[in-house]
Amino acid sequence: MRKVKWVAAAAGVVLLVAGCGSEGGADQGKGGGEAPASGAATPAEQGAGTLDAAAVKKEIAGAATGAGFTEKSGDDVPASLQACMVSWGPDGKKVTDSKQSFDGTVAALVKGGWKETRTSDQPMSVIKSLDKSGWTLKASHQGKAGSLLVISFIAVDNGPTCAKAFQEDLAKNKQ
């Protein structure tokens, strides 16, 4: 069951990048950067991607560790997808103000070269998409302390190899 959640979250990021993940609402493009239209090549598909999963982990670690976030285990992620995605979440013992930690981590990522391309800001939900070198990072802060609170940073490689791996895994899980 956890495996399906990982794949679904990663596939959601892939679909969002492909322009299929938005249902209107409060999405606002920032910096003129909307997700590419269906069929448009992403930077990784154009050969511009220079980051691998290890480099993305290092960048997120630099931005997130001090704010109390930690890398999430990929034990439930299929081996074929582990090089295609990176996931971070809160360490309950270290995050005291989740919203401040979330905002600080996003700001540090932007300062490190991640470009904020889409934001959905609702009363109890903030979802931001950031792109860098063929990767899309979906940063999500939903809920509030004391009740259901979900915070995640999930980065997905948008290149054709990983897109194919995600599609194959989804097809396998539908059976």
Side-chain angles (χ1 to χ4, degrees):
M1 185 66 170
R2 289 189 109 193
K3 175 182 168 184
V4 174
K5 288 181 185 178
W6 274 96
V7 174
V13 173
V14 171
L15 290 174
L16 179 65
V17 171
C20 301
S22 175
E23 295 180 12
D27 279 0
Q28 304 165 5
K30 289 212 173 187
E34 286 291 324
S38 183
T42 65
E45 292 168 336
Q46 296 170 354
T50 58
L51 294 177
D52 62 6
V56 171
K57 283 181 188 182
K58 184 176 180 182
E59 289 195 14
I60 296 174
T65 303
F69 298 108
T70 186
E71 184 178 359
K72 294 299 177 185
S73 168
D75 293 344
D76 50 355
V77 177
S80 63
L81 299 179
Q82 288 184 358
C84 297
M85 63 185 291
V86 176
S87 179
W88 283 67
D91 179 337
K93 298 174 187 169
K94 296 181 182 175
V95 175
T96 55
D97 182 337
S98 66
K99 186 67 169 98
Q100 182 179 1
S101 293
F102 175 83
D103 290 342
T105 299
V106 170
L109 288 165
V110 169
K111 188 174 180 179
W114 288 82
K115 182 181 177 188
E116 191 173 323
T117 57
R118 186 175 284 184
T119 296
S120 174
D121 197 346
Q122 306 271 326
M124 289 185 47
S125 173
V126 177
I127 302 170
K128 296 180 179 273
S129 291
L130 301 113
D131 290 343
K132 183 174 183 181
S133 196
W135 284 74
T136 294
L137 183 134
K138 185 173 239 175
S140 175
H141 185 283
Q142 300 178 25
K144 66 178 185 173
S147 65
L148 179 63
L149 178 63
V150 178
I151 305 167
S152 65
F153 295 88
I154 300 174
V156 176
D157 184 334
N158 299 320
T161 302
C162 287
K164 181 179 177 187
F166 281 116
Q167 289 172 350
E168 289 171 353
D169 195 68
L170 282 171
K172 183 172 61 175
N173 285 315
K174 283 184 180 178
Q175 298 174 353

